[in-house]
Amino acid sequence: MKSILKLKSLVYLVSIIFISSCSNDDNNGPVTGPADGMPDVEMSDIADLAIATDDLTSLVAALTRAELVDTVKGTGPFTVFAPTNDAFATFLDENGFATLEDVPVDVLEQVLLNHVVAGKNLSSALTTTYISSSSTAGVDGKALSLFVDTSSGVKINGATVSTADVEASNGVVHIVDKVIGLPTIVDHAINNPALSELVGALTADGNTTFTDLLSDAEGKFTVLAPVNDGFAAFMNPNSSDINNVLSNHVIAGAALAAADLSNSYANTAAKNSDDDALSIYINTDDGVKFNGASAVAIADIVATNGIVHAVDQVIDLPTVVTFAVADPNFSTLVEALTTLTPSVDFVSVLSSQGGAGSDPFTVFAPTNDAFSALAAIPDEAGLIPVLQHHVIGGANIRSGDLTPDGTTTTPATLEGDSFTITLPGTDGNIANVVDGANNDGIGIDVVDVQAVNGVIHVLDKVLIPNTSN
């Protein structure tokens, strides 16, 4: 499939070139002059330039087979990256095709379109960045991204421009030494030098688990790709398994563009010790941040099997404290756990993982609105047992562990009291809760926010313990 996708990208490019060359010949004025190896054709469009160039006959044949000639006859302007005959021959050989006729037409069309960009982009105007091709072979029918690398010459998704700035009446042609295949997520990572540390981590010790997974053309992924500086700054403070850390950058089953993101939780491919998928908190209040720290530097890099967002930091495995700090809905809870209760180091306790004795934790986290509903927040002596009544130590209790149609009495909280949870909930609640003081009307709004050292369920009211015992 990967080979077919690459071939499709090539065919599409050829067709675009041909169509553009056949479009209005006097669209953009006379050609300033032929480049080396190109014909001296006054007022030629892109298609005519390709037809008259001996080294682009395979491109013309591909455009013709894909029936894209009429398409590229449009007014444009277009920028076309035109593979040579040798490039096409290599492409066919690498993908197991004897001749151009063996390539499925629909694949060839998309490959060719992947060589065509809207607008007239002379080499002097190209910078190191991502641009969109005309191919809609990206995940969910999106336009594929092309990485332009101008650090040494000009490369487009790894294809080197050998002859630049062949101007035509409806755009410009840059001749390249490779067919630009339809890129998977791994292809994008390999082509961008700023992601070389990520590629190294993914393939360390000959491990191909990630590259095999993220090269799967049938998959659908959102990948948060740390740039090299982010890797350099990551000290792995918790000595976490690096493969699990890398998995924490992959959201499987969905290709989420920046426009699809909102303040919410998603599951990553990383796991806790019970093989539960870890959550990641997405915040879009000011740009896009993941787990409150790693920000998106480049968004919406589209591949055939997903979308990549380059991020500025490695996203470490989250603790329950990570989510409390990252989610602005818990700012009052964080204040209660820190500023209002200085005599107890709640943060250190709830950040612990692996051998701390009390983890994993099941935390029932009240929102800011839940705290606002209190007549008053207790003083430190009264607030400490209230906060402890929201935490169960030594258990990672997920919603699936509760009685599905009935009531579950929890293990004792850190304060000492238990409380009850009833499924299903009422009045829009996922579940109903009766706290240690026998207060009802408490609802669980969000469940199973999974950290590496425990799980969080979100409450709409603060739990009160039994103060008579």
Short mmCIF file of all heavy atoms in Angstrom, two decimals, residues 326-361:
data_model
loop_
_atom_site.label_atom_id
_atom_site.label_comp_id
_atom_site.label_asym_id
_atom_site.label_seq_id
_atom_site.Cartn_x
_atom_site.Cartn_y
_atom_site.Cartn_z
N ALA A 326 -2.70 21.02 35.29
CA ALA A 326 -2.90 21.38 33.89
C ALA A 326 -4.31 21.85 33.58
O ALA A 326 -4.51 22.73 32.74
CB ALA A 326 -2.57 20.18 33.00
N ASP A 327 -5.30 21.29 34.26
CA ASP A 327 -6.70 21.59 33.96
C ASP A 327 -7.16 22.79 34.78
O ASP A 327 -7.23 22.73 36.01
CB ASP A 327 -7.56 20.37 34.29
CG ASP A 327 -8.98 20.50 33.79
OD1 ASP A 327 -9.44 21.63 33.57
OD2 ASP A 327 -9.65 19.46 33.62
N PRO A 328 -7.48 23.93 34.13
CA PRO A 328 -7.87 25.12 34.89
C PRO A 328 -9.15 24.93 35.71
O PRO A 328 -9.41 25.71 36.63
CB PRO A 328 -8.06 26.19 33.80
CG PRO A 328 -8.22 25.43 32.52
CD PRO A 328 -7.44 24.18 32.68
N ASN A 329 -9.92 23.91 35.42
CA ASN A 329 -11.11 23.63 36.23
C ASN A 329 -10.77 23.19 37.64
O ASN A 329 -11.65 23.14 38.51
CB ASN A 329 -11.96 22.55 35.55
CG ASN A 329 -12.63 23.04 34.30
OD1 ASN A 329 -13.36 24.02 34.32
ND2 ASN A 329 -12.37 22.36 33.18
N PHE A 330 -9.49 22.86 37.89
CA PHE A 330 -9.07 22.40 39.21
C PHE A 330 -8.19 23.42 39.93
O PHE A 330 -7.49 23.07 40.88
CB PHE A 330 -8.30 21.07 39.08
CG PHE A 330 -9.10 19.95 38.50
CD1 PHE A 330 -8.52 19.10 37.57
CD2 PHE A 330 -10.41 19.74 38.88
CE1 PHE A 330 -9.25 18.04 37.03
CE2 PHE A 330 -11.16 18.68 38.35
CZ PHE A 330 -10.58 17.83 37.41
N SER A 331 -8.22 24.68 39.53
CA SER A 331 -7.31 25.66 40.13
C SER A 331 -7.60 25.86 41.62
O SER A 331 -6.66 26.03 42.42
CB SER A 331 -7.39 26.99 39.38
OG SER A 331 -8.69 27.52 39.41
N THR A 332 -8.87 25.82 42.01
CA THR A 332 -9.18 25.96 43.44
C THR A 332 -8.73 24.74 44.22
O THR A 332 -8.23 24.86 45.35
CB THR A 332 -10.69 26.17 43.64
OG1 THR A 332 -11.12 27.30 42.86
CG2 THR A 332 -11.01 26.44 45.11
N LEU A 333 -8.88 23.55 43.64
CA LEU A 333 -8.39 22.34 44.28
C LEU A 333 -6.89 22.41 44.48
O LEU A 333 -6.38 22.04 45.55
CB LEU A 333 -8.76 21.12 43.42
CG LEU A 333 -8.20 19.77 43.87
CD1 LEU A 333 -8.71 19.41 45.26
CD2 LEU A 333 -8.55 18.68 42.86
N VAL A 334 -6.16 22.88 43.47
CA VAL A 334 -4.70 23.00 43.60
C VAL A 334 -4.35 23.99 44.72
O VAL A 334 -3.44 23.74 45.51
CB VAL A 334 -4.08 23.45 42.26
CG1 VAL A 334 -2.61 23.79 42.43
CG2 VAL A 334 -4.26 22.35 41.20
N GLU A 335 -5.07 25.09 44.77
CA GLU A 335 -4.83 26.06 45.85
C GLU A 335 -5.08 25.42 47.22
O GLU A 335 -4.32 25.62 48.18
CB GLU A 335 -5.74 27.27 45.66
CG GLU A 335 -5.51 28.35 46.73
CD GLU A 335 -6.49 29.52 46.59
OE1 GLU A 335 -7.49 29.38 45.86
OE2 GLU A 335 -6.25 30.56 47.25
N ALA A 336 -6.14 24.61 47.31
CA ALA A 336 -6.46 23.95 48.58
C ALA A 336 -5.37 22.94 48.97
O ALA A 336 -5.02 22.82 50.15
CB ALA A 336 -7.81 23.25 48.47
N LEU A 337 -4.82 22.25 47.98
CA LEU A 337 -3.79 21.24 48.25
C LEU A 337 -2.43 21.85 48.56
O LEU A 337 -1.55 21.15 49.08
CB LEU A 337 -3.66 20.31 47.05
CG LEU A 337 -4.84 19.38 46.75
CD1 LEU A 337 -4.68 18.73 45.39
CD2 LEU A 337 -4.97 18.31 47.84
N THR A 338 -2.25 23.11 48.25
CA THR A 338 -0.92 23.73 48.40
C THR A 338 -0.99 24.92 49.37
O THR A 338 -0.66 24.78 50.55
CB THR A 338 -0.38 24.18 47.04
OG1 THR A 338 -1.33 25.03 46.39
CG2 THR A 338 -0.11 22.97 46.15
N THR A 339 -1.45 26.04 48.90
CA THR A 339 -1.42 27.28 49.68
C THR A 339 -2.23 27.18 50.96
O THR A 339 -1.80 27.68 52.03
CB THR A 339 -1.96 28.45 48.83
OG1 THR A 339 -1.24 28.51 47.61
CG2 THR A 339 -1.83 29.77 49.58
N LEU A 340 -3.41 26.55 50.91
CA LEU A 340 -4.31 26.53 52.06
C LEU A 340 -4.01 25.44 53.07
O LEU A 340 -4.56 25.44 54.18
CB LEU A 340 -5.77 26.40 51.58
CG LEU A 340 -6.26 27.50 50.64
CD1 LEU A 340 -7.72 27.27 50.27
CD2 LEU A 340 -6.09 28.88 51.28
N THR A 341 -3.13 24.49 52.71
CA THR A 341 -2.78 23.40 53.64
C THR A 341 -1.27 23.19 53.65
O THR A 341 -0.77 22.11 53.30
CB THR A 341 -3.49 22.09 53.23
OG1 THR A 341 -3.19 21.82 51.83
CG2 THR A 341 -5.00 22.19 53.41
N PRO A 342 -0.51 24.19 54.07
CA PRO A 342 0.96 24.09 54.01
C PRO A 342 1.55 23.02 54.93
O PRO A 342 2.68 22.59 54.71
CB PRO A 342 1.42 25.49 54.42
CG PRO A 342 0.30 26.04 55.24
CD PRO A 342 -0.95 25.49 54.63
N SER A 343 0.83 22.58 55.92
CA SER A 343 1.40 21.60 56.86
C SER A 343 1.41 20.18 56.30
O SER A 343 2.05 19.30 56.88
CB SER A 343 0.61 21.62 58.18
OG SER A 343 -0.73 21.21 57.98
N VAL A 344 0.69 19.95 55.20
CA VAL A 344 0.67 18.63 54.58
C VAL A 344 1.17 18.77 53.14
O VAL A 344 0.67 19.60 52.39
CB VAL A 344 -0.75 18.02 54.58
CG1 VAL A 344 -0.73 16.65 53.90
CG2 VAL A 344 -1.27 17.91 56.01
N ASP A 345 2.14 17.95 52.76
CA ASP A 345 2.70 18.02 51.40
C ASP A 345 1.90 17.10 50.48
O ASP A 345 2.35 16.02 50.08
CB ASP A 345 4.17 17.64 51.42
CG ASP A 345 4.88 17.98 50.11
OD1 ASP A 345 4.18 18.39 49.15
OD2 ASP A 345 6.11 17.82 50.03
N PHE A 346 0.67 17.54 50.17
CA PHE A 346 -0.19 16.74 49.31
C PHE A 346 0.45 16.50 47.93
O PHE A 346 0.30 15.43 47.35
CB PHE A 346 -1.54 17.43 49.11
CG PHE A 346 -2.49 17.25 50.26
CD1 PHE A 346 -2.81 18.32 51.10
CD2 PHE A 346 -3.10 16.02 50.51
CE1 PHE A 346 -3.69 18.16 52.16
CE2 PHE A 346 -3.99 15.86 51.56
CZ PHE A 346 -4.28 16.92 52.39
N VAL A 347 1.15 17.50 47.42
CA VAL A 347 1.70 17.39 46.08
C VAL A 347 2.72 16.26 46.01
O VAL A 347 2.71 15.44 45.07
CB VAL A 347 2.34 18.73 45.64
CG1 VAL A 347 3.11 18.56 44.34
CG2 VAL A 347 1.26 19.79 45.49
N SER A 348 3.62 16.16 46.98
CA SER A 348 4.62 15.09 46.98
C SER A 348 3.96 13.73 47.09
O SER A 348 4.35 12.77 46.41
CB SER A 348 5.62 15.29 48.13
OG SER A 348 6.40 16.45 47.92
N VAL A 349 2.96 13.64 47.95
CA VAL A 349 2.27 12.36 48.13
C VAL A 349 1.61 11.92 46.84
O VAL A 349 1.77 10.79 46.37
CB VAL A 349 1.22 12.46 49.26
CG1 VAL A 349 0.37 11.20 49.31
CG2 VAL A 349 1.91 12.70 50.60
N LEU A 350 0.86 12.83 46.21
CA LEU A 350 0.08 12.47 45.02
C LEU A 350 0.93 12.44 43.74
O LEU A 350 0.44 12.02 42.70
CB LEU A 350 -1.08 13.45 44.85
CG LEU A 350 -2.12 13.43 45.98
CD1 LEU A 350 -3.19 14.51 45.77
CD2 LEU A 350 -2.78 12.07 46.10
N SER A 351 2.17 12.88 43.85
CA SER A 351 3.08 12.77 42.70
C SER A 351 3.87 11.48 42.73
O SER A 351 4.53 11.12 41.76
CB SER A 351 4.06 13.95 42.67
OG SER A 351 3.39 15.17 42.48
N SER A 352 3.83 10.78 43.85
CA SER A 352 4.66 9.59 44.01
C SER A 352 4.20 8.48 43.08
O SER A 352 3.04 8.37 42.73
CB SER A 352 4.62 9.12 45.47
OG SER A 352 3.30 8.72 45.81
N GLN A 353 5.15 7.67 42.69
CA GLN A 353 4.84 6.52 41.84
C GLN A 353 5.91 5.48 42.00
O GLN A 353 7.09 5.77 42.07
CB GLN A 353 4.74 6.93 40.37
CG GLN A 353 5.90 7.72 39.84
CD GLN A 353 5.73 8.10 38.38
OE1 GLN A 353 5.58 7.26 37.53
NE2 GLN A 353 5.76 9.40 38.12
N GLY A 354 5.48 4.25 42.12
CA GLY A 354 6.44 3.15 42.20
C GLY A 354 7.09 3.02 43.55
O GLY A 354 8.15 3.61 43.79
N GLY A 355 6.50 2.31 44.47
CA GLY A 355 7.13 2.04 45.75
C GLY A 355 6.82 3.03 46.83
O GLY A 355 7.41 2.99 47.90
N ALA A 356 5.87 3.94 46.60
CA ALA A 356 5.56 4.94 47.62
C ALA A 356 4.67 4.36 48.71
O ALA A 356 4.50 4.98 49.75
CB ALA A 356 4.87 6.15 46.99
N GLY A 357 4.10 3.20 48.50
CA GLY A 357 3.30 2.57 49.54
C GLY A 357 1.82 2.84 49.41
O GLY A 357 1.00 1.98 49.67
N SER A 358 1.43 4.06 49.03
CA SER A 358 0.01 4.40 48.95
C SER A 358 -0.49 4.48 47.52
O SER A 358 -1.70 4.48 47.30
CB SER A 358 -0.24 5.75 49.65
OG SER A 358 0.01 5.65 51.03
N ASP A 359 0.39 4.63 46.56
CA ASP A 359 -0.07 4.71 45.19
C ASP A 359 -0.33 3.28 44.68
O ASP A 359 0.27 2.34 45.19
CB ASP A 359 0.94 5.44 44.31
CG ASP A 359 2.26 4.69 44.17
OD1 ASP A 359 2.97 4.54 45.18
OD2 ASP A 359 2.56 4.25 43.07
N PRO A 360 -1.21 3.08 43.71
CA PRO A 360 -1.91 4.13 42.96
C PRO A 360 -3.04 4.76 43.79
O PRO A 360 -3.49 4.19 44.79
CB PRO A 360 -2.47 3.38 41.76
CG PRO A 360 -2.72 2.00 42.28
CD PRO A 360 -1.58 1.72 43.22
N PHE A 361 -3.48 5.91 43.31
CA PHE A 361 -4.53 6.66 43.99
C PHE A 361 -5.77 6.73 43.10
O PHE A 361 -5.68 6.83 41.88
CB PHE A 361 -4.07 8.09 44.29
CG PHE A 361 -2.81 8.17 45.10
CD1 PHE A 361 -1.58 8.39 44.50
CD2 PHE A 361 -2.85 8.05 46.48
CE1 PHE A 361 -0.42 8.47 45.24
CE2 PHE A 361 -1.69 8.13 47.24
CZ PHE A 361 -0.46 8.34 46.62
#
